[in-house]
Amino acid sequence: MSAQPDHAPLTPYAPAPGAPAELLAQLRADPRADRWVPAFEQEWTQALEESRRTFSLAALYEVVQVWQARVASAPAVDAFLASGRDENGFVDLEEIRSGRR
């Protein structure tokens, strides 16, 4: 009997070497650049300090992954907001808490 796991371990996410620079260029070109660029730079700086302290790139990878997801989901969020925010199909937690349902 083998002591090896019967499944392949998950490979940690590792962005391409130029991904942070490409991401920053995308953020600068976005209409939300005035908010997003400073937020990204702050998170990147914090992750860089953690990376220096821990000798791990995980925090830097996470910042890139989270911001890539934000950029990718921005068109869907914009479309939802432009649609008038029709929330009729959603559960109103305040209504549930008050027992009106």
Side-chain angles (χ1 to χ4, degrees):
M1 189 175 233
S2 173
Q4 297 296 322
D6 61 351
H7 63 280
L10 293 176
T11 305
Y13 171 80
E22 291 172 12
L23 181 57
L24 188 55
Q26 282 181 308
L27 293 174
R28 286 183 176 142
D30 194 277
R32 294 166 281 261
D34 59 328
R35 294 184 320 264
W36 280 17
V37 170
F40 172 79
E41 288 174 340
Q42 180 182 8
E43 289 181 29
W44 183 258
T45 300
Q46 291 170 348
L48 191 56
E49 288 304 317
E50 182 178 336
S51 178
R52 288 180 180 141
R53 189 173 35 79
T54 63
F55 297 101
S56 170
L57 298 175
L60 295 170
Y61 291 171
E62 183 179 356
V63 169
V64 171
Q65 187 175 20
V66 166
W67 278 96
Q68 285 174 333
R70 286 180 181 150
V71 169
S73 64
V77 172
D78 291 342
F80 173 74
L81 293 174
S83 74
R85 300 180 186 175
D86 181 10
E87 299 174 5
N88 291 332
F90 295 96
V91 174
D92 183 357
L93 293 178
E94 203 52 46
E95 191 175 301
I96 291 172
R97 287 185 192 116
S98 67
R100 290 182 282 171
R101 209 163 218 218

